Amino acid sequence: MDIFEVLESEVRTYCRTWDTVFDRAAGSTLYSEDGRDYLDFFSGAGALNYGHNNPDLLRPLVEYLLSGAIVHSLDMKTAAKRRFLETFNELILKPRMYDYKVMFPGPTGTNSVEAALKLARKVTGRPHILSFTNAFHGMTLGSLAVTGNSMKRQGAGVPLTNTTSMPYDGFFDGQTPDFLWLRHALEDSGSGVDKPAAVIVETVQGEGGLRAARASWLRGLAELCKQHGILLIVDDVQAGCGRTGTFFSFEDAGITPDIVCLSKSISGFGLPLSLTLFKPEHDIWKPGEHNGTFRGHNPAFVTGTAALEHFWTDRSFESNVAGLASQLHEGLTQIAAGTEGARVRGRGLLAGIYYPDHQVAGRIAAESFARGLLVETSGPEGEVIKTMPALTIGADEMMKGLDILAEAAEFVTGGKVAAKSIA
Ligand code: PMP
């Protein structure tokens, strides 16, 4: 038994599936102490959209740290925060014509969600929140109350209240008209569903099985919220920061949520940082009403600013991501074709394959690891193999990863994959 098993809690997860000690990383490759290298189709669960130790972010970070500049400052004014806010405004908000105030909650995704839920309740004076089947919003109690997974919910140890779960797009496999239940819940005074403060939604369900909402469904949802005076919260913690091909995952749908949660790759480097964005009219917080010691970490501002400047000054990065996404989807489609009933799910570089035999994806992930590829599973029973390569991955590395995945899938399912050296 090693120190991890002896001392670290049973709660640990990823180190069980990938049982090796990693000690270095660059771009899309991780290296283990025992000298093996692993291609990364996991990307820190979406926190490493620009790869590991991206030199364009590392350099300004190291220079900043060596310069004696401010590291910790709660929410005081710092030069690093000013630059981040100016850059985020100029490169992200203004070109998209989004008028949002920026709040820095605690540094994790669930902190951003908690702030969003609290604000929605404060703005509307209503406690109830609607969420969706298979949603994942984080592990603290408020976020857990809008999360679908029963195992995670049971961990709460207290009743998870003031929320109701509605069918997500595709939950009934297209057998019912969109919003059949949601519309009735809102409009029928006998529905038993209290009028909500907000609806919280992921555009692609990162943890819950990679279902991707159609743009028309998202527009329908935004419309329903507007009709009923309900705030729309988009949790873009995993699908945001370019993962689906645009900076915000809802841009193509043409909707403007009232509140947006961002985290994971907003620092660009894997440093903890979170933002909660909301329309200015909802900025009714009293000073200090939602506080915290670690809000707006300066090294994360430095790398976050560098990432925005490096990747988001024009549209070239987005078109590169679009090319990678079609390569990925083509490869996944070929792999899925090897197994009856298997289907590609997801959008952009947040995509995978659903397997009707719910044991298969986990076995493919294990076989991929044995062959030098990190991929995880998604869905309530881990029934979806989930690929999330860095947005900066090379086409050759993408091909290599898809080849390993295809080999692992063939090994597990016995089904032949249409072509090797995919894409
Ligand atoms: N929302 C979504 C959509 C997520 O995918 C996650 C993390 N997987 C979270 C919230 C929670 O983020 P964190 O783990 O940083 O608290």
Side-chain angles (χ1 to χ4, degrees):
M1 292 236 284
D2 56 30
I3 186 72
F4 306 104
E5 280 149 38
V6 172
L7 199 60
E8 195 179 347
S9 160
E10 292 305 311
V11 79
R12 64 197 192 277
T13 51
Y14 291 110
C15 55
R16 295 178 194 267
T17 24
W18 300 322
D19 191 7
T20 189
V21 179
F22 297 103
D23 70 348
R24 273 181 320 115
S28 287
T29 308
L30 284 129
Y31 302 89
S32 64
E33 260 180 5
D34 56 8
R36 287 199 65 188
D37 52 77
Y38 294 87
L39 193 54
D40 190 358
F41 269 26
F42 171 62
S43 298
L48 294 164
N49 279 3
Y50 312 112
H52 294 265
N53 291 317
N54 190 307
D56 294 309
L57 314 188
L58 179 61
R59 212 172 303 113
L61 173 65
V62 170
E63 280 165 15
Y64 184 83
L65 291 172
L66 290 175
S67 75
I70 300 287
V71 171
H72 181 262
S73 56
L74 291 109
D75 69 357
M76 290 178 234
K77 291 181 183 175
T78 66
K81 178 153 90 174
R82 180 171 54 210
R83 253 197 94 197
F84 176 80
L85 283 168
E86 283 169 358
T87 311
F88 188 70
N89 199 26
E90 287 304 318
L91 296 182
I92 303 299
L93 296 181
K94 276 195 190 165
R96 291 164 182 77
M97 290 188 288
Y98 290 141
D99 185 16
Y100 286 129
K101 291 291 286 287
V102 178
M103 169 180 178
F104 299 108
T108 69
T110 198
N111 293 136
S112 176
V113 171
E114 294 286 352
L117 299 177
K118 199 193 260 190
L119 183 63
R121 286 171 168 139
K122 192 174 157 61
V123 166
T124 60
R126 298 190 292 265
H128 209 72
I129 308 276
L130 299 185
S131 56
F132 289 99
T133 48
N134 289 312
F136 184 92
H137 297 291
M139 287 292 100
T140 49
L141 290 181
S143 305
L144 209 43
V146 286
T147 288
N149 186 292
S150 57
M151 186 270 272
K152 303 269 198 265
R153 290 176 67 86
Q154 272 158 24
V158 293
L160 297 170
T161 56
N162 294 308
T163 56
T164 305
S165 183
M166 292 285 148
Y168 190 72
D169 191 12
F171 188 66
F172 294 121
D173 277 331
Q175 290 166 48
T176 56
D178 290 350
F179 308 116
L180 184 66
W181 174 225
L182 176 56
R183 197 181 294 278
H184 281 272
L186 294 175
E187 291 173 4
D188 189 326
S189 59
S191 71
V193 177
D194 294 334
K195 179 164 179 166
V199 171
I200 183 164
V201 68
E202 296 157 274
T203 63
V204 183
Q205 297 190 310
E207 304 298 322
L210 291 181
R211 280 197 175 87
R214 288 162 298 150
S216 59
W217 189 88
L218 290 171
R219 278 193 293 275
L221 179 64
E223 191 51 39
L224 261 180
C225 286
K226 204 164 145 209
Q227 274 169 19
H228 291 271
I230 299 164
L231 301 184
L232 177 63
I233 305 170
V234 171
D235 178 349
D236 234 5
V237 164
Q238 185 158 169
C241 301
R243 184 49 59 191
T244 64
T246 49
F247 188 85
F248 295 106
S249 69
F250 49 82
E251 288 176 40
D252 288 348
I255 60 168
T256 307
D258 297 286
I259 307 180
V260 181
C261 302
L262 279 182
S263 183
K264 291 204 193 262
S265 274
I266 189 64
S267 85
F269 198 73
L271 298 176
L273 181 67
S274 265
L275 273 54
T276 310
L277 312 176
F278 35 81
K279 293 183 176 167
E281 62 267 32
H282 301 321
D283 193 8
I284 60 163
W285 292 113
K286 294 194 185 77
E289 195 178 7
H290 191 81
N291 234 331
T293 308
F294 291 102
R295 288 172 300 136
H297 188 46
N298 288 284
F301 286 144
V302 171
T303 54
T305 304
L308 296 178
E309 283 174 341
H310 196 75
F311 295 105
W312 296 97
T313 45
D314 59 30
R315 310 304 295 254
S316 57
F317 183 59
E318 283 165 280
S319 58
N320 193 49
V321 172
L324 289 167
S326 49
Q327 190 187 3
L328 177 64
H329 283 249
E330 211 172 292
L332 293 175
T333 304
Q334 288 186 22
I335 296 169
T339 305
E340 195 163 342
R343 268 178 309 201
V344 175
R345 283 196 187 160
R347 195 151 67 83
L349 292 181
L350 180 52
I353 305 171
Y354 162 82
Y355 284 94
D357 175 347
H358 290 182
Q359 304 305 309
V360 164
R363 287 168 52 210
I364 293 175
E367 287 300 329
S368 297
F369 179 65
R371 290 165 173 75
L373 176 72
L374 299 192
V375 268
E376 68 164 340
T377 61
S378 175
E381 294 176 50
E383 68 276 21
V384 177
I385 191 94
K386 173 182 176 186
T387 64
M388 211 165 26
L391 313 185
T392 51
I393 195 170
D396 50 339
E397 292 172 304
M398 180 76 94
M399 195 160 78
K400 185 176 164 204
L402 283 165
D403 278 344
I404 296 175
L405 194 62
E407 223 178 271
E410 268 189 14
F411 181 84
V412 171
T413 64
K416 276 267 162 273
V417 169
K420 275 291 169 61
S421 266
I422 289 162

